[in-house]
C-alpha cells in the first residue's frame, strides 16, 4: 500500500533579538518574563517594529539552501488568529512564502516561511512565560514525497544538517518542532501534531501506520483528522476531526508593510551561503578521492568539513585518504562516543595538523594520537602542549619496550598459554597490556612483532 | 508661550473642568499630576514648543500611569505602563496633560454616545451629540477645558466632532504621526491628530507629534516640518477642487454654509475647479468592511485573560456588532467575497481621489452630510449612523490628510468645512484654514 508522508517543520532562528522588537531571544536561561516589552506581550497600543532583517536574511538563505525560488512579489505578513493563553494578541504572525518549489534529497520543499514563536504556557500553574514570545522561526513545508518512517528519518537528519550548515538556526538543539501528515492508499489524510524530535517523528509515523493499517484490515475507514503525538506513551490521539477544522481568519497584518526581496539581496546571500552538505559530500569524494563513508562522516558538520579541507590544503605531502581516515576513525569516533559536536569539542585544525604530522613522522603512535585528541578535548589545551605534558612521544628505546613485554608475559600466564595453545586473539590482549604499560607510546605493530618473536 | 504661568493656566482649566464638565462629560480621568507637571514648566525644568500648553488626550492613547480605557468596561482598569510616541513628544516639548477624554467605545461611533462612561454633550450646541469618536477631545476644546487635544481618526473621528463642536481638527497623512501607543480600531486607517480652537495651536501640535518613528513599520521616513512657522493666509492662486457629488449627499442647509465659505476663499484669490468623485458613495461600505475585519483582529487580545474582561461579554452594542461582523466576513469561505473585494475598492477610491487631487491643491467640501442629532434620539439602524461618515472616510481609505474648520452655523449648530489634500500636503490645508480664520 502506497504511503505518502509530508512535514511542516519549525525551527528557531539564531538571532540576537526577537522578530518584532529588540528584546533578547534568550528564553531558556533568563528568568520568566524578563526578556519582554510592550510589543512581544501585546500591550494595548503597542505596534511591531519593522521586521528583524537578520531573520529575513536567514530565511532567504535557508530557502536558497533548499533550492527554493525566492518570491519577488510583495510578501505579506499574515495574522493567523486563534485563542490560546500563550498568544498575547490572539494571533500569530506568519509570512506568506518567502521561498517556493525547492527540494532536498528528491523531496519537494513546497514553501519556506518566517514566523514568530508564541510564549510558553504551563497548564499546571496556569502561568505564561513570554520570554519566547516573538522569537523568530523558519517554517518549512515539504511535499508528501516520503514513503516510510525510515525515509522520513533520513530526510529530517539531512534537513537538520542543512540548517546547521547555514548557522542560521539555534544550535543548542531540541528546538525543532514539527507536524507530519500521512496518507495511506485507501484512507484519508491524517495530520499529527506535537512532534518535537526526529526520533519522535519516526515513532509517531511507525505508530500511525500500524494504527491505520489495522483499521483497514478490519474494514474500517481511516478518517480525515488531526491527531496529537503523545511522546511519553509513543502513541497518537485524536485532537479534532475535519468538521471542526480551525478557521484562522488570515488577514495581511495592517501594521506591517509587505516584504520585498531584491535580486541584489538574493545574489549577495547566494555568494556567502555555504555549500549544501550533500553537494559537499559528492565533491569530497571526487576531489580527494575518498570513500563515501569517510566523506559522510566528515561532512556531518560544516566545521569538521572545513577543518578537513584546511588540513588537506596545508599538508599536501600527506594522502587525503589518510587524513580522511584520521578524521573518521580518530576524531568522529571520539565525538560520537562523547556525544558532542566538532564545534563543541574545541578541536582546531592546528591541533589536528600537529597530531597528523607527528603521527606521520612516527613521533607518536596511533594510540598516542587517540590520547592526544582526548587530551585536547578534555583539558582544552593545544595538541602540542598535551603531547609534551603527557609524554606521548613514541618510545624509541627498545629496552623499555622489551621490559614491558617481559612484564606483560609474566603477569598474564593464562593469556600466554592460550596463545600458545592456538588462540591467536589472546595475543591482542597482551599487546594491549604492553601499550598500557608504555602509556600508548609504543608502536602497537612493533610490539606485536616483538611478542610473536618472543613467544615462538 | 513665554510669560504665561503654566500652573495658573492649568489650575484655571482644572477649575473650569470641575465646574462645568459634569454637564459636558468630556473627561474620563483627570491627571492627578497635572499641576506638578505645570510647575516643572514654570521652574524651567520642562521646556519646549508646547511649554505650558494644556493638553487633553483621547482615552485610546497610552499615557503612562493614566487609564487608557477606550471608554469601555473591557479596559476599565487598564493603567498604561508606557507613553505612546506622541505623548513622549508632547511631554518632551513641555505640554501639560490635563486628562483622558471621553470617546465612543473603542472609537466605534460617530456620535459620542457609546461610551461606557456616559455620553458627551456638545458645548457648542447643548443637547446635541458632539460627534465622534473623539467626542471628549473636541468637546473639551470647545468648552475651553484645555488648549489642545489629541484625537484619533479612522473614518472621521477627529473631523466629525470638530465639525459638530465648531473647532479645528486635522487628520494627518497616514504614517506621518506615529501610532505607537494608540489602541487599535483599524490599523490601516487609524491616525492620531490634533484638535484645537485656533489654527496656530493646531499647526504647533501637529509639528510636535509628526515625524518618523524608526520603531514602527508604518511611519513615513519624512523630515520634520515646522507648520506653525510657515502658516500663510495668502492663498491666492490655490486651486480648490469641489465635487458635484458632495451636494448630492449633503443636507442643503449645510451646503449653503459651505458655499459661503467657498466664496470667501474665492475672494481671497483661490480658484474653484470642479472635480469628479463618482465612487464617493462606495467609500462607506468599503470602509466599514475594512474596519470590521481589522477591528475583529485587533480585539482578540481582550480575551479576558489579561485585562479583566472578555470584550464580547462587557462591550456595548456597536462594538459587539463590529466584532461579530468582522468575525463573520473574515471567515475563510467569505474572505474573498468581502474583505478582498473591499481592499480592491479601496485602491479604486484611493486612485480616484489622488487623480482628482492632481489638478488641484486641495479639495474643499462639507465634513458631515447631516446635522448632529439630539442626544437621546434612538437611532436603531446602524446604517443611518454610519451615514455621518460618508464624506470623511475617503481620506482615510486614501491615506491623505484632511482638516476641518468651522464654516458657519445652521440654527446655532456649527458646520465644519473639510479640506483634503495630497499626501504630506498638511501645510496647504493649514494655510486654507488660516485664511478662513483670518477673514
Ligand atoms: Zn519585546
Amino acid at each position: 500500500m502506497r504511503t505518502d508522508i509530508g512535514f511542516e517543520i519549525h525551527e528557531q532562528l539564531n538571532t540576537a533579538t526577537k522578530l518584532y522588537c529588540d528584546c533578547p531571544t534568550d528564553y531558556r536561561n533568563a528568568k520568566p518574563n524578563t526578556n519582554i516589552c510592550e510589543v512581544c506581550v501585546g500591550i494595548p497600543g503597542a505596534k511591531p517594529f519593522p521586521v528583524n532583517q537578520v531573520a529575513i536574511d536567514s530565511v532567504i538563505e535557508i530557502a536558497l539552501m533548499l533550492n527554493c525560488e525566492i518570491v519577488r512579489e510583495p510578501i505579506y505578513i499574515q495574522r493567523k488568529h486563534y485563542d490560546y493563553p500563550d498568544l498575547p494578541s490572539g494571533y500569530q504572525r506568519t509570512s506568506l512564502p518567502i521561498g517556493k518549489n525547492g527540494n532536498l534529497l528528491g523531496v519537494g520543499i513546497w514553501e519556506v516561511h518566517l514566523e514568530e514563536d508564541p510564549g510558553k504556557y504551563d497548564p499546571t500553574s496556569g502561568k505564561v512565560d513570554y520570554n519566547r514570545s516573538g522569537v523568530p522561526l523558519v517554517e518549512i513545508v515539504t511535499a508528501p514525497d516520503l514513503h516510510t518512517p525510515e525515509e522520513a528519518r533520513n530526510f529530517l537528519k539531512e534537513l537538520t544538517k542543512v540548517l546547521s550548515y547555514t548557522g542560521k538556526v539555534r544550535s543548542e538543539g531540541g528546538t525543532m518542532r514539527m507536524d507530519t501528515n500521512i496518507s495511506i492508499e485507501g484512507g484519508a489524510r491524517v495530520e499529527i501534531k506535537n512532534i518535537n524530535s526526529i526520533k519522535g517523528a519516526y515513532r509517531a509515523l511507525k505508530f500511525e501506520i500500524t494504527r491505520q493499517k489495522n483499521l483497514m484490515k478490519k474494514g474500517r475507514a481511516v478518517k480525515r483528522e488531526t491527531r496529537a503525538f503523545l511522546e511519553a506513551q509513543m502513541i497518537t490521539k485524536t485532537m479534532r476531526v475535519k468538521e471542526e477544522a480551525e478557521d484562522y481568519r488570515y488577514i495581511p497584518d495592517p501594521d506591517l508593510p509587505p516584504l520585498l526581496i531584491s535580486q541584489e539581496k538574493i545574489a549577495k546571500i547566494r555568494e556567502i551561503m555555504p555549500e549544501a552538505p550533500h553537494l559537499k559530500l559528492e565533491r569530497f569524494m571526487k576531489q580527494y578521492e575518498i570513500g563515501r563513508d569517510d566523506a559522510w562522516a566528515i561532512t556531518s558538520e560544516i566545521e569538521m568539513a572545513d577543518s578537513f579541507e584546511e588540513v588537506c590544503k596545508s599538508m599536501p605531502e600527506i594522502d587525503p585518504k589518510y587524513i580522511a581516515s584520521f578524521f573518521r576513525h580518530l576524531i568522529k569516533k571520539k565525538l560520537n562516543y562523547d556525544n558532542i559536536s566538532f564545534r563543541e569539542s574545541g578541536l582546531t585544525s592546528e591541533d589536528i595538523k600537529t597530531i597528523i604530522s607527528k603521527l606521520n613522522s612516527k613521533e607518536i603512535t596511533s594510540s598516542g594520537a587517540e590520547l592526544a585528541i582526548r587530551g585536547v578535548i578534555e583539558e582544552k589545551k593545544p595538541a602540542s602542549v598535551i603531547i609534551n605534558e603527557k609524554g606521548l612521544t613514541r618510545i624509541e628505546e627498545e629496552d623499555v619496550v622489551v621490559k614491558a613485554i617481559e612484564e606483560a608475559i609474566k603477569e598474564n600466564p593464562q593469556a600466554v598459554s592460550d596463545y600458545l595453545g592456538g588462540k591467536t586473539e589472546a595475543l591482542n590482549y597482551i599487546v594491549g597490556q604492553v601499550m598500557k604499560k608504555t602509556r600508548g607510546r609504543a608502536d602497537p605493530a612493533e610490539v606485536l612483532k616483538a611478542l610473536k618473536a618472543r613467544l615462538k | 508661550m513665554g510669560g504665561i504661568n503654566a500652573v495658573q493656566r492649568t489650575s484655571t482649566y482644572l477649575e473650569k473642568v470641575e465646574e462645568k464638565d459634569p454637564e459636558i462629560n468630556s473627561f474620563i480621568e483627570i491627571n492627578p499630576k497635572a499641576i506638578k507637571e505645570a510647575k516643572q514648566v514654570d521652574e524651567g525644568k520642562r521646556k519646549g514648543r508646547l511649554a505650558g500648553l494644556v493638553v487633553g488626550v483621547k482615552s485610546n492613547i497610552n499615557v503612562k500611569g493614566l487609564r487608557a480605557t477606550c471608554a469601555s468596561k473591557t479596559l476599565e482598569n487598564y493603567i498604561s505602563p508606557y507613553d505612546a510616541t506622541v505623548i513622549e513628544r508632547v511631554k518632551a516639548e513641555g505640554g501639560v496633560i490635563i486628562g483622558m477624554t471621553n470617546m465612543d467605545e473603542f472609537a466605534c461611533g460617530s456620535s459620542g454616545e457609546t461610551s461606557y462612561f456616559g455620553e458627551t454633550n456638545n458645548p457648542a450646541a447643548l443637547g446635541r451629540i458632539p460627534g465622534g469618536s473623539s467626542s471628549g477631545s473636541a468637546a473639551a476644546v470647545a468648552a475651553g477645558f484645555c488648549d489642545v487635544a489629541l484625537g484619533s481618526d479612522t473614518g472621521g473621528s477627529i473631523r466629525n466632532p470638530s465639525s459638530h463642536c465648531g473647532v479645528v481638527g486635522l487628520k494627518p497623512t497616514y504614517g506621518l504621526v506615529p501610532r505607537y501607543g494608540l489602541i487599535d480600531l483599524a490599523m490601516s486607517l487609524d491616525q492620531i491628530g490634533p484638535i484645537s480652537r485656533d489654527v496656530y495651536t493646531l499647526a504647533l501640535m501637529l509639528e510636535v507629534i509628526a515625524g518618523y518613528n524608526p520603531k514602527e513599520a508604518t511611519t513615513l521616513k519624512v523630515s520634520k516640518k515646522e507648520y506653525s512657522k510657515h502658516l500663510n493666509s495668502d492663498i491666492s492662486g490655490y486651486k480648490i477642487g469641489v465635487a458635484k457629488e458632495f451636494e448630492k449627499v449633503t443636507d442643503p442647509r449645510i451646503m449653503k454654509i459651505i458655499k459661503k465659505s467657498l466664496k470667501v476663499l474665492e475672494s481671497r484669490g483661490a480658484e474653484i475647479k470642479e472635480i469628479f468623485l463618482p465612487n464617493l458613495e462606495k467609500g462607506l461600505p468599503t470602509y466599514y468592511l475594512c474596519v470590521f475585519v481589522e477591528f475583529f483582529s485587533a480585539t482578540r487580545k481582550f480575551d479576558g485573560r489579561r485585562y479583566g474582561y472578555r470584550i464580547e461579554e462587557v462591550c456595548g452594542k456597536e462594538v459587539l456588532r463590529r466584532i461579530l461582523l468582522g468575525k463573520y466576513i473574515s471567515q475563510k469561505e467569505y474572505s474573498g467575497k468581502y474583505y478582498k473585494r473591499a481592499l480592491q475598492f479601496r485602491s479604486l477610491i484611493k486612485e480616484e481621489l489622488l487623480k482628482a487631487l492632481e489638478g488641484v491643491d486641495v479639495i474643499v467640501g462639507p465634513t458631515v452630510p447631516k446635522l448632529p442629532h439630539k442626544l437621546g434620539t434612538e437611532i436603531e439602524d446602524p446604517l443611518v449612523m454610519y451615514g455621518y461618515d460618508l464624506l470623511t472616510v475617503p481620506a482615510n481609505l486614501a491615506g491623505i490628510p484632511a482638516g476641518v474648520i468651522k464654516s458657519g452655523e445652521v440654527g446655532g449648530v456649527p458646520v465644519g468645512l473639510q479640506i483634503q489634500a495630497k499626501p504630506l500636503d498638511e501645510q496647504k490645508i493649514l494655510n486654507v484654514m488660516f485664511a478662513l480664520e483670518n477673514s
Side-chain angles (χ1 to χ4, degrees):
Chain A
M1 269 183 292
R2 186 192 164 90
T3 303
D4 295 315
I5 299 166
F7 284 98
E8 260 176 49
I9 298 137
H10 295 92
E11 179 66 284
Q12 287 176 344
L13 295 172
N14 188 19
T15 60
T17 57
K18 293 185 182 180
L19 195 47
Y20 301 111
C21 62
D22 284 343
C23 292
T25 46
D26 174 27
Y27 65 91
R28 296 197 154 192
N29 304 311
K31 275 195 190 146
N33 294 311
T34 50
N35 285 335
I36 56 169
C37 69
E38 296 111 43
V39 178
C40 54
V41 179
I43 298 282
K47 308 279 180 279
F49 294 5
V51 190
N52 185 330
Q53 191 59 50
V54 179
I56 300 173
D57 292 356
S58 301
V59 172
I60 297 173
E61 182 172 331
I62 289 167
L64 287 173
M65 291 283 286
L66 296 172
N67 271 327
C68 288
E69 307 153 12
I70 301 300
V71 174
R72 301 293 315 282
E73 294 83 50
I75 301 165
Y76 284 89
I77 313 281
Q78 305 260 96
R79 290 184 175 187
K80 175 184 181 180
H81 301 90
Y82 63 93
D83 183 41
Y84 200 67
D86 64 7
L87 212 52
S89 294
Y91 54 82
Q92 183 187 21
R93 293 191 186 90
T94 164
S95 79
L96 286 175
I98 290 177
K100 273 183 183 172
N101 303 328
N103 57 75
L104 176 67
L105 300 182
V107 175
I109 304 290
W110 272 345
E111 291 173 357
V112 179
H113 305 247
L114 176 63
E115 276 195 6
E116 63 178 336
D117 223 344
K120 228 174 182 172
Y121 174 58
D122 174 12
T124 322
S125 68
K127 286 181 180 163
V128 180
D129 176 6
Y130 289 112
N131 283 346
R132 199 179 70 180
S133 175
V135 168
L137 300 173
V138 59
E139 182 193 32
I140 298 160
V141 183
T142 80
D145 289 345
L146 295 153
H147 306 292
T148 64
E150 288 74 19
E151 260 181 52
R153 182 170 57 191
N154 284 342
F155 168 77
L156 291 172
K157 277 186 181 164
E158 185 68 17
L159 178 67
T160 311
K161 203 193 291 178
V162 171
L163 293 179
S164 107
Y165 258 52
T166 64
K168 299 296 189 266
V169 298
R170 288 172 78 128
S171 59
E172 65 253 39
T175 53
M176 194 187 251
R177 275 161 281 158
M178 59 202 122
D179 305 335
T180 180
N181 52 72
I182 167 167
S183 33
I184 303 181
E185 204 176 347
R189 184 172 174 271
V190 173
E191 200 181 339
I192 308 168
K193 292 192 175 281
N194 284 346
I195 300 171
N196 298 314
S197 64
I198 296 176
K199 204 192 266 172
Y202 177 77
R203 286 174 172 167
L205 286 169
K206 274 272 192 206
F207 174 87
E208 191 55 25
I209 290 171
T210 312
R211 186 189 71 87
Q212 293 187 18
K213 285 192 172 162
N214 281 340
L215 279 177
M216 288 174 176
K217 256 186 233 155
K218 290 178 201 154
R220 283 162 60 189
V222 174
K223 286 178 304 193
R224 173 140 190 206
E225 62 175 341
T226 302
R227 300 175 70 83
F229 177 55
L230 308 179
E231 180 125 46
Q233 299 162 57
M234 286 201 267
I235 59 163
T236 68
K237 218 179 128 188
T238 300
M239 265 173 92
R240 56 174 179 264
V241 292
K242 193 202 167 198
E243 293 76 52
E244 341 172 329
E246 251 186 293
D247 185 347
Y248 296 118
R249 294 182 162 78
Y250 286 100
I251 60 161
D253 192 328
D255 285 332
L256 293 162
L259 310 176
L260 265 178
I261 299 168
S262 67
Q263 196 60 60
E264 296 79 66
K265 168 67 85 181
I266 298 169
K268 220 168 148 191
I269 292 177
R270 215 182 262 290
E271 213 170 277
I272 53 149
M273 74 184 203
E275 184 181 23
H278 66 280
L279 297 178
K280 202 183 277 289
L281 180 134
E282 299 296 333
R283 178 170 65 82
F284 277 15
M285 286 171 61
K286 235 177 160 174
Q287 182 178 340
Y288 300 104
E289 297 178 327
I290 60 175
R292 181 168 288 273
D293 289 347
D294 285 351
W296 175 265
I298 293 165
T299 57
S300 64
E301 255 185 274
I302 192 164
E303 289 82 358
M304 182 148 53
D306 288 346
S307 175
F308 169 74
E309 291 208 273
E310 198 191 322
V311 173
C312 287
K313 204 175 157 196
S314 58
M315 303 183 100
E317 71 281 9
I318 297 187
D319 185 354
K321 284 196 191 83
Y322 180 81
I323 298 173
S325 168
F326 180 89
F327 268 82
R328 178 174 159 213
H329 294 293
L330 286 165
I331 298 176
K332 183 67 180 162
K333 204 169 118 194
K334 168 71 179 159
L335 299 178
N336 284 348
Y337 184 80
D338 290 354
N339 198 19
I340 55 170
S341 66
F342 183 82
R343 180 173 25 185
E344 287 164 330
S345 76
L347 276 169
T348 64
S349 301
E350 228 26 70
D351 293 325
I352 295 165
K353 279 187 252 171
T354 304
I355 298 170
I356 290 181
S357 95
K358 288 201 187 295
L359 197 55
N360 192 49
S361 63
K362 295 196 184 312
E363 282 174 66
I364 58 171
T365 66
S366 62
S367 315
E370 236 174 281
L371 289 171
I373 290 168
R374 190 198 289 177
V376 171
I377 294 173
E378 286 168 7
E379 297 177 30
K380 306 270 172 246
K381 287 179 190 161
S384 52
V385 175
I386 293 287
I387 291 169
N388 269 336
E389 278 184 8
K390 295 199 176 298
L392 297 178
T393 312
R394 186 166 177 265
I395 301 167
E396 298 290 355
E397 314 88 83
E398 224 169 287
D399 52 338
V400 180
V401 181
V402 169
K403 200 174 150 226
I405 288 175
E406 288 307 325
E407 278 176 26
I409 288 173
K410 215 163 154 191
E411 288 163 16
N412 298 286
Q414 185 63 47
V416 171
S417 70
D418 283 353
Y419 170 69
L420 292 173
K423 280 191 186 171
T424 45
E425 65 270 23
L427 197 60
N428 291 335
Y429 177 78
I430 307 172
V431 173
Q433 295 304 306
V434 176
M435 293 306 292
K436 214 170 170 184
K437 285 181 183 298
T438 58
R439 298 202 317 283
R441 292 147 65 216
D443 185 334
E446 296 289 322
V447 172
L448 189 69
K449 224 159 93 193
L451 260 175
K452 272 184 178 166
R454 170 68 178 72
L455 295 175
K456 222 184 225 165
Chain B
M1 294 297 125
I4 297 168
N5 182 311
V7 171
Q8 227 167 51
R9 193 184 181 90
T10 307
S11 33
T12 306
Y13 276 133
L14 283 171
E15 280 160 27
K16 212 165 165 191
V17 168
E18 199 174 320
E19 187 195 334
K20 295 196 170 147
D21 202 42
E23 188 189 4
I24 305 297
N25 196 24
S26 64
F27 282 99
I28 291 174
E29 185 174 27
I30 293 297
N31 179 10
K33 290 184 186 152
I35 293 287
K36 199 175 135 195
E37 286 170 18
K39 209 170 160 192
Q40 291 170 337
V41 174
D42 288 337
E43 287 166 351
K45 285 180 194 154
R46 298 177 66 217
K47 292 178 200 158
R49 281 173 285 182
L50 300 180
L53 273 195
V54 177
V55 185
V57 179
K58 190 174 181 178
S59 288
N60 59 355
I61 299 171
N62 281 275
V63 179
K64 195 174 177 176
L66 295 181
R67 286 187 302 157
T69 59
C70 290
S72 178
K73 188 177 163 81
T74 315
L75 290 176
E76 193 181 359
N77 301 310
Y78 166 64
I79 297 170
S80 301
Y82 71 109
D83 278 331
T85 308
V86 292
I87 298 301
E88 284 176 356
R89 292 179 181 179
V90 165
K91 286 181 174 173
E93 290 290 343
V96 175
I97 288 160
I98 183 170
M100 306 301 289
T101 61
N102 209 347
M103 58 187 279
D104 279 296
E105 186 180 14
F106 279 104
C108 294
S110 318
S111 72
E113 294 171 300
T114 67
S115 166
Y116 171 65
F117 300 95
E119 63 196 17
T120 300
N121 208 328
N122 186 337
L126 285 172
R128 289 194 185 254
I129 57 161
S133 67
S134 308
S135 45
S137 288
V141 168
F145 297 154
C146 54
D147 293 300
V148 56
L150 293 178
S152 67
D153 190 313
T154 308
S157 283
I158 286 174
R159 290 162 287 156
N160 170 299
S162 295
S163 175
H164 291 332
C165 294
V167 294
V168 289
L170 193 139
K171 177 208 97 75
T173 304
Y174 184 79
L176 178 64
V177 175
R179 288 183 299 122
Y180 196 92
L182 170 69
I183 300 178
D184 304 319
L185 167 54
M187 296 65 75
S188 71
L189 301 159
D190 297 341
Q191 263 294 282
I192 295 174
I195 298 172
S196 182
R197 282 186 296 275
D198 64 273
V199 178
Y200 178 81
T201 310
L202 194 75
L204 194 65
M205 182 54 105
L206 180 65
E207 72 191 39
V208 166
I209 61 175
Y212 178 58
N213 174 18
K215 291 184 171 179
E216 193 175 327
T218 56
T219 53
L220 300 170
K221 235 175 182 161
V222 288
S223 52
K224 280 256 181 196
K225 286 184 187 155
E226 295 182 300
Y227 303 105
S228 62
K229 239 186 217 169
H230 296 106
L231 274 181
N232 186 352
S233 61
D234 177 12
I235 54 158
S236 54
Y238 268 48
K239 288 196 181 79
I240 292 179
V242 178
K244 266 272 174 321
E245 289 84 2
F246 293 155
E247 201 154 353
K248 233 172 68 189
V249 298
T250 308
D251 184 328
R253 292 172 295 171
I254 294 174
M255 254 350 269
K256 219 173 116 189
I257 306 281
I258 299 297
K259 280 181 178 166
K260 268 191 203 163
S261 293
L262 284 169
K263 282 268 176 292
V264 173
L265 292 172
E266 233 177 340
S267 73
R268 298 191 68 124
E271 182 194 334
I272 309 288
K273 280 185 78 176
E274 195 180 356
I275 56 156
F276 301 94
L277 299 172
N279 286 304
L280 181 70
E281 288 177 73
K282 291 203 178 82
L284 209 53
T286 304
Y287 167 79
Y288 274 99
L289 287 175
C290 292
V291 167
F292 295 156
V293 171
E294 292 186 25
F295 185 58
F296 167 76
S297 176
T299 52
R300 294 311 83 210
K301 64 178 58 172
F302 306 120
D303 56 10
R305 293 190 180 96
R306 284 163 295 258
Y307 306 105
Y309 303 106
R310 192 171 158 252
I311 188 165
E312 288 90 341
E313 284 164 10
V314 295
C315 69
K317 249 198 291 189
E318 182 55 28
V319 168
L320 187 62
R321 179 177 7 250
R322 294 187 186 195
I323 291 174
L324 294 180
L325 284 168
K327 186 177 180 184
Y328 180 78
I329 63 178
S330 59
Q331 284 178 85
K332 209 173 172 184
E333 48 185 315
Y334 295 132
S335 67
K337 202 165 144 194
Y338 295 110
Y339 189 56
K340 291 219 178 87
R341 288 268 306 273
L343 293 178
Q344 284 162 5
F345 266 108
R346 185 174 171 173
S347 313
L348 183 81
I349 289 159
K350 183 175 178 175
E351 269 169 45
E352 180 176 290
L353 255 177
L354 292 178
K355 193 147 179 266
L357 278 164
E358 269 173 26
V360 296
D361 293 292
V362 291
I363 295 174
V364 168
T367 310
V368 189
K370 47 190 181 179
L371 293 170
H373 61 263
K374 288 189 173 131
L375 285 165
T377 317
E378 286 286 323
I379 295 180
E380 280 302 323
D381 185 354
L383 294 181
V384 172
M385 193 63 100
Y386 298 167
Y388 277 116
D389 308 329
L390 182 57
L391 298 171
T392 44
V393 297
N396 300 83
L397 291 171
I400 59 170
V404 168
I405 185 163
K406 187 174 168 181
S407 172
E409 292 182 1
V410 173
V413 179
V415 164
L417 177 97
Q418 179 174 221
I419 305 141
Q420 306 179 68
K422 295 181 193 81
L424 301 174
D425 258 356
E426 277 79 2
Q427 190 70 56
K428 280 186 184 162
I429 294 175
L430 290 164
N431 287 351
V432 173
M433 290 168 96
F434 201 48
L436 281 171
E437 190 177 53
N438 288 304
S439 50

